[in-house]
Structures are given as C-alpha cells and as structure tokens.
Amino acid sequence: MEYELKLESEWLWIGLPVEIDHFQTEQIRQAAKEIMQKGYVKYVVFDFSKTNLMDSSGIGLIAGRYREMAVRGGQVYVSNVSDRMKKVLMISGLYRIVTPWEQVVVSESMNHK
Amino acid sequence: MDNTNEMLLEFDAMGENEGFARTVVAVFVSRLNPTIEELGDIKVAVSEAVTNAIIHGYENGAGKIRLIARLDGQKLTVQVEDHGTGIADVVQAMEPLFTTKPEQERSGMGFSFMEAFTDELKVESKEGEGTTVTMVKMMGVRDGQDN
Ligand SMILES: Nc1ncnc2c1ncn2[C@@H]1O[C@H](COP(=O)(O)OP(=O)(O)OP(=O)(O)O)[C@@H](O)[C@H]1O
Ligand SMILES: [Mg+2]
C-alpha cells in the first residue's frame, strides 16, 4: 500500500502516495471514510513528502475533506509540499484555503519562546 | 534525417491503466532528454485526459481508450480518444470548475490542468460518438540553462 492513514484523537494524518490520480484517490477516499467512522475528525493533514505527481483528482480529494472539516469548524493542512506540488495547488486555487503545516509548527514554537 | 516517431496504444478504460498510460508517454519522449518539469507536466495532462475518458466518456463502464503519441523533432503530440458519451457543449465543459459530477468530488479542473501543462489543447466531441483530446507540447526545451 502506497498511502498511509493515521488517526489520533481529532486528527487524521494522510501520507499521500508517489502519484495521486483518480485510481489512488478512490482508495484513499474510501479508507478515510472508514477511519473517520472510528473517531470524530476535525483536522486533516495531507503529507506530500513522497508525492511527485498530482492531477485534478487530488484537488477533488483535498477540497472534499476541506468542505467536511469546514462544517465542523475544523481545518485542512498540507505538509512537505514541493515547489512542483505547490504549483498544482496554486493553479487549482486550493493553496488559498489550506494551511501549510510547517507554518503552524513554526508559529507554535515561537509562541513557546 | 527523418525525425518523426509515432506510437499507438489501445487499452481498457480502467483506473489501473491511468498510471500505465502516463508512464508510456514519459518513456516514449525520454530520448529527447526532457526536463523533470516537462515530464511532470505531460504526465498530468495525459492523466487528466485518460481519467476523463474513463469516468465521463464510459461512465466507469467498459470501453477502449486509444492513446496516440507522435514526435516531430522536439514537438510532442498526444491524442486520447474514447468512443463514449461525448460532450454536448465543449466550450462549457472546458470552463474552469465546470463539472457534471460534483457528487463524485470532481473539481472541474481537468481541462484547465491540460491547458496549463501543455502548449496547445484541442477537444473534439460528438454526443453519443465520443471524444478526442489532442495536446501539443515542446519537449527538451531548455532556455539556455541546464537543469
Ligand atoms: N471524455 C469525455 N467524455 C465525456 N464527457 C467528458 C469527457 N471529458 C470531459 N467531459 C465533460 O467535461 C467536464 C469537465 O471536465 P474536466 O476534466 O475539466 O472536469 P471533471 O473531470 O469534471 O473534474 P476533475 O477533472 O477536476 O476531476 C466533465 O465534468 C464532463 O462532463
Ligand atoms: Mg477531469
């Protein structure tokens, strides 16, 4: 299995595969649906560290989770986004509504200083 | 010297074949020594066209998809053909965010991605007959710098 999902209290972490297309997103969407029945998720983190290709199917997957989390007052984060993936997220307009995870971690540690 | 090369592939309309189709095109153009950026672009564009043929053209049912790739020097032409439902209004279908399948979490960005990642995009379609998407992209173009 190329992708990975982890549930921790209200957080769902999704480790994305090398290539995100329609075939892959169908499986990830299904897996996310199943795991979200086990606990109430408010925050989703999409980790792109392994990913080097994403088509519009991935945009649909992220936008879908964004809508789900938004109605719960939650949030969607993207992590380890390469320049290439950033370009794809920018073109789709998604980059404006998701939060880069690294930014959150940095501002958190600043607050603790 | 003849600088053209052409390939034709026909495969079943199945999600598993999306990765196969874009990899075939990437390998086909590899002798042009394309940049990683160019390869990523053309792979996404092929993925979009093939996915559309599967989920819209054949509505996730059985059918054959034809993939033709041609090189004229550095110029790559890719054609993706289905004999599925066809598109009633091509101009509307190509508008960003337009989708007929929002319930399947489609974002309506497929044609926009094809447009953004290639140099030329042409869509020919007839309701009840099918759709042919033709994309042109210059490969192995390095504006003076190595990468
Ligand atoms: N091969 C095809 N056969 C029939 N209809 C098509 C085909 N390709 C595209 N369409 C129609 O054009 C619309 C727009 O296509 P486009 O790829 O831009 O968006 P999408 O596939 O709906 O969403 P996304 O690509 O973002 O997942 C589709 O919703 C569909 O109605
Ligand atoms: Mg599409």
Side-chain angles (χ1 to χ4, degrees):
Chain A
M1 201 157 63
E2 268 199 88
Y3 57 89
E4 220 183 314
L5 285 86
K6 275 185 233 157
L7 183 68
E8 223 181 291
S9 62
E10 292 185 316
W11 291 79
L12 173 61
W13 178 87
I14 302 180
L16 294 165
V18 177
E19 301 200 326
I20 309 168
D21 59 9
H22 158 243
F23 181 63
Q24 289 284 342
T25 51
E26 294 276 278
Q27 302 183 43
I28 297 168
R29 185 177 289 117
Q30 187 55 38
K33 202 179 272 176
E34 279 164 24
I35 208 167
M36 280 167 72
Q37 280 162 358
K38 293 184 194 146
Y40 186 77
V41 174
K42 259 180 88 173
Y43 307 98
V44 179
V45 183
F46 286 99
D47 186 344
F48 285 84
S49 50
K50 284 194 286 181
T51 307
N52 60 36
L53 180 145
M54 176 165 75
D55 71 12
S56 64
S57 307
I59 301 303
L61 175 75
I62 297 169
R65 302 296 73 69
Y66 175 81
R67 278 191 291 271
E68 252 173 13
M69 295 308 114
V71 296
R72 303 174 174 195
Q75 185 73 263
V76 168
Y77 300 92
V78 292
S79 170
N80 294 306
V81 178
S82 64
D83 287 349
R84 170 87 205 161
M85 287 308 112
K86 192 169 169 181
K87 179 177 162 189
V88 175
L89 290 170
M90 289 275 211
I91 293 173
S92 69
L94 255 193
Y95 207 71
R96 275 182 273 124
I97 60 170
V98 294
T99 313
W101 177 244
E102 288 72 18
Q103 222 162 292
V104 180
V105 179
V106 169
S107 60
E108 282 281 305
S109 60
M110 299 275 267
N111 288 341
H112 289 299
K113 270 183 191 151
Chain B
M1 196 178 77
D2 190 9
N3 225 0
T4 67
N5 189 12
E6 192 177 71
M7 59 141 281
L8 176 139
L9 183 73
E10 194 174 74
F11 53 90
D12 281 324
M14 296 194 300
E16 290 96 311
N17 286 335
E18 292 159 9
F20 170 60
R22 58 178 183 259
T23 304
V24 164
V25 175
V27 173
F28 181 70
V29 299
S30 60
R31 76 175 169 95
L32 293 181
N33 198 17
T35 63
I36 293 184
E37 187 80 7
E38 289 167 343
L39 272 183
D41 289 354
I42 197 64
K43 282 172 85 176
V44 169
V46 169
S47 203
E48 296 296 350
V50 170
T51 301
N52 279 352
I54 295 170
I55 62 179
H56 303 300
Y58 295 117
E59 300 185 294
N60 292 310
K64 299 279 186 199
I65 298 170
R66 258 166 171 251
L67 172 72
I68 299 165
R70 189 173 49 249
L71 281 175
D72 303 285
Q74 305 282 102
K75 187 176 118 187
L76 168 71
T77 306
V78 179
Q79 199 166 309
V80 177
E81 221 180 285
D82 70 64
H83 294 101
T85 58
I87 305 171
D89 185 341
V90 172
V91 174
Q92 183 188 43
M94 291 176 75
E95 279 169 19
L97 303 178
F98 177 84
T99 180
T100 48
K101 293 201 162 42
E103 76 287 351
Q104 288 181 22
E105 292 194 348
R106 308 313 306 179
S107 61
M109 289 301 294
F111 282 129
S112 303
F113 274 23
M114 288 182 242
E115 217 149 35
F117 293 132
T118 64
D119 301 328
E120 252 179 81
L121 168 68
K122 191 172 79 184
V123 183
E124 294 156 292
S125 192
K126 209 166 170 200
E127 258 191 298
E129 286 183 21
T131 302
T132 301
V133 172
T134 309
M135 297 176 282
V136 177
K137 188 174 176 65
M138 295 303 293
M139 303 298 288
V141 186
R142 289 171 171 75
D143 357 285
Q145 69 195 66
D146 266 348
N147 52 336

